[in-house]
Amino acid sequence: MRTALLLLSLNAQEPKVETQLLLPPEPGMQYEISPKGLHVAGVVLRGSRQVLVYDGTDGPRFDQVLQLNSAGKVSWSDDGARYAYHAKLGQEY
């Protein structure tokens, strides 16, 4: 009887899932997910400039966000807590 009560209390708890749109789908958008799947970054167009959006927050605007390696435009730390990218604005990198 005690086991049955325990199962009922576990089944009564519904997992709480919250959704949030971090990167709206746009034509030609490129995005990457961190190694542990906790963060997302993507390159989007804002007018004539490219912007790296990290977890829904726009970074600075650049003429071009460059390809870092064969994997994409964002390089993640092993734990996914930090990221790096390479961009060009005018003649500066």
Side-chain angles (χ1 to χ4, degrees):
M1 184 98 164
R2 187 175 185 163
T3 304
L5 290 175
L6 179 61
L7 289 175
L8 287 175
S9 67
L10 288 176
N11 290 335
Q13 295 178 359
E14 294 283 329
K16 189 173 184 178
V17 177
E18 189 175 314
T19 61
Q20 179 182 8
L21 182 62
L22 296 176
L23 287 171
E26 296 180 14
M29 183 175 67
Q30 301 169 1
Y31 67 92
E32 298 183 42
I33 299 171
S34 66
K36 292 188 176 183
L38 299 176
H39 303 284
V40 63
V43 177
V44 299
L45 283 175
R46 299 284 189 248
S48 64
R49 301 288 175 104
Q50 291 185 343
V51 175
L52 185 90
V53 179
Y54 173 78
D55 285 348
T57 303
D58 283 15
R61 295 172 187 234
F62 295 101
D63 293 332
Q64 184 179 11
V65 177
L66 304 166
Q67 189 84 14
L68 280 177
N69 52 41
S70 61
K73 295 188 176 191
V74 178
S75 180
W76 297 95
S77 62
D78 290 338
D79 63 1
R82 293 173 302 282
Y83 65 99
Y85 62 99
H86 188 119
K88 180 180 178 183
L89 180 60
Q91 297 300 315
E92 295 185 25
Y93 289 90

